[in-house]
Amino acid sequence: MAGHSGTPELKFTHESLPQRVIFDSYAAAGHVAAEVDRLGARRPMLISTGTTIEVQGAVRHTEVVMHVPVEVAERARARAAAEAVDVLVAVGGGSTTGLAKAVALTTGLPIIAVPTTYAGSEATAVWGLTDGGGKTTGTDPRVLPRVVVYDAGLTLSLPVPLSVASGLNALAHCVDSMWAPRADPINRAFALEGARALNTGLPTVFDAPSDLEGRENALYGAHLAAVAFASAGSGLHHKICHVLGGLFNLPHAPTHAVLLPYVTALNEFAAPALAAAFGTPTAVEGLLSLQKRLDAPRSLRELGLNETDLPAAVDGVLPAVPAGNPAPIDRPRLAELLHRAWEGTDPR
């Protein structure tokens, strides 16, 4: 109609990543074998620290290190070249998928990812490498796994504390996707449904670790979270966590779990719909309630960060703050946020 400008929120450009996703509990091994054949591969490299599943004729590579140090990536790349590998099969958490991505980044080899945690790296084209205390991240279509095989049965052995931390890491993908640089109505819809599923599944995982339904809900939510995050991009929360991980070698998932309510308290005014995923008046209340319910880590101090490290953390994070963050960020505000997260005080 002439003169009608439309709804501002419904003017956007959204890009969905090309990926085959299989969700089938207790069936990963068969699906992996079929997908290796479908890709026409003959020499797989199985990247895994355990023996969760076997891949016939695979070269096994077990050196997996958190945050993917450059030298670890180089050794994996050299092994893939020496063994004439033609497909990478990553079975494990975010560090395992991250190593496969580092190999794919320079070789172009396809990845079949079989996640055993809720990290979500398998659904993104984001890679990360650490070198000399700094973490470099980027986006490249070569690192997006061609196939993801989700088997909730493989998560049953994941200890409850790690399940909680990993699940809250996935929830961080949902929350950050509400206001990240490329946030749009489609990835917000994925993020809200992902947050709802995680809020439903994680308490069941905590109370009944062998209950498959809880694990399936958590894995489903983690996938939606990762898809939303892949589209929306990295917001303030992830920028902070990447800097802290690279500078101080803090554990990835617990760091996300600790910081999430603090960044949410800062930015929630820009995404009031997020509260509905938790069934609480505000999303911060829902997150704090879930943290308490899951006995999750509550402070950076308990993760090993020293108070004397905080000024260096502020120096590292400030240049990485996204320009479009809903709440303006300056040095004093960032320093206050990090100090409160270090103490574990109420983010409200």
Side-chain angles (χ1 to χ4, degrees), residues 297-316:
R298 299 292 295 272
S299 72
L300 294 175
R301 173 167 44 189
E302 67 186 278
L303 300 185
L305 189 70
N306 297 316
E307 188 173 14
T308 54
D309 292 330
L310 291 175
V314 173
D315 290 340

Side-chain angles (χ1 to χ4, degrees), residues 23 86 150 181 243 260 325:
F23 204 110
D86 57 3
Y150 288 108
V243 169
L260 188 54
N325 190 69

Side-chain angles (χ1 to χ4, degrees), residues 8-29:
E9 292 78 9
L10 294 181
K11 292 183 179 181
F12 61 88
T13 300
H14 177 86
E15 184 173 346
S16 295
L17 300 179
Q19 189 176 66
R20 179 176 170 88
V21 177
I22 300 167
F23 204 110
D24 190 5
S25 296
Y26 299 123

Side-chain angles (χ1 to χ4, degrees), residues 259-284:
L259 279 164
L260 188 54
Y262 296 93
V263 180
T264 302
L266 187 71
N267 283 340
E268 185 179 4
F269 72 91
L274 186 57
F278 301 97
T280 50
T282 68
V284 173

Side-chain angles (χ1 to χ4, degrees), residues 235-241 243-244 247 259 262-263 266-267 300 305 309-322 325 327-342:
L236 176 64
H237 173 86
H238 279 79
K239 295 297 187 183
I240 294 174
C241 291
V243 169
L244 294 182
L247 283 178
L259 279 164
Y262 296 93
V263 180
L266 187 71
N267 283 340
L300 294 175
L305 189 70
D309 292 330
L310 291 175
V314 173
D315 290 340
V317 172
L318 203 57
V321 172
N325 190 69
I329 302 293
D330 55 18
R331 182 175 294 275
R333 196 168 202 180
L334 180 60
E336 180 186 5
L337 185 153
L338 288 175
H339 196 272
R340 291 172 71 85
W342 180 81

Side-chain angles (χ1 to χ4, degrees), residues 264 268 278 280-291 348:
T264 302
E268 185 179 4
F278 301 97
T280 50
T282 68
V284 173
E285 288 180 57
L287 285 169
L288 292 176
S289 175
L290 186 61
Q291 270 190 335
R348 295 167 294 185

Side-chain angles (χ1 to χ4, degrees), residues 196-265:
R196 184 206 62 76
L198 286 160
N199 190 53
T200 299
L202 290 177
T204 303
V205 171
F206 185 79
D207 291 337
S210 60
D211 184 288
L212 189 65
E213 184 176 348
R215 300 278 184 171
E216 286 181 334
N217 268 304
L219 203 55
Y220 164 66
H223 172 70
L224 292 176
V227 171
F229 180 68
S231 174
S234 185
L236 176 64
H237 173 86
H238 279 79
K239 295 297 187 183
I240 294 174
C241 291
H242 286 162
V243 169
L244 294 182
L247 283 178
F248 307 109
N249 201 35
L250 297 186
H252 182 75
T255 301
H256 279 279
V258 167
L259 279 164
L260 188 54
Y262 296 93
V263 180
T264 302

Side-chain angles (χ1 to χ4, degrees), residues 2-173:
H4 180 64
S5 60
T7 305
E9 292 78 9
L10 294 181
K11 292 183 179 181
F12 61 88
T13 300
H14 177 86
E15 184 173 346
S16 295
L17 300 179
Q19 189 176 66
R20 179 176 170 88
V21 177
I22 300 167
F23 204 110
D24 190 5
S25 296
Y26 299 123
H31 285 299
V32 168
E35 293 304 312
V36 168
D37 286 344
R38 193 179 66 85
L39 291 172
R42 295 293 178 264
R43 187 62 166 165
M45 175 187 273
L46 175 60
I47 302 175
S48 178
T49 57
T51 55
T52 311
I53 65 172
E54 296 295 338
V55 179
Q56 187 174 6
V59 175
R60 291 189 61 87
H61 188 83
T62 59
E63 187 191 15
V64 177
V65 180
M66 186 173 63
H67 301 304
V68 195
V70 168
E71 59 274 16
V72 173
E74 290 293 351
R75 286 193 287 271
R77 291 164 177 167
R79 181 89 188 279
E83 299 282 359
V85 166
D86 57 3
V87 65
L88 305 167
V89 179
V91 183
S95 298
T96 303
T97 306
L99 179 59
K101 287 181 170 185
V103 176
L105 182 65
T106 57
T107 65
L109 289 173
I111 301 171
I112 299 173
V114 186
T116 60
T117 72
Y118 310 118
S121 175
E122 70 280 352
T124 80
V126 177
W127 58 267
L129 291 166
T130 54
D131 186 15
K135 185 166 187 177
T136 302
T137 62
T139 303
D140 193 299
R142 290 175 295 180
V143 309
L144 178 72
R146 301 276 187 89
V147 182
V148 184
V149 178
Y150 288 108
D151 182 341
L154 298 179
T155 71
L156 291 172
S157 60
L158 187 67
V160 168
L162 289 179
S163 297
V164 166
S166 183
L168 291 173
N169 179 19
L171 194 54
H173 291 140

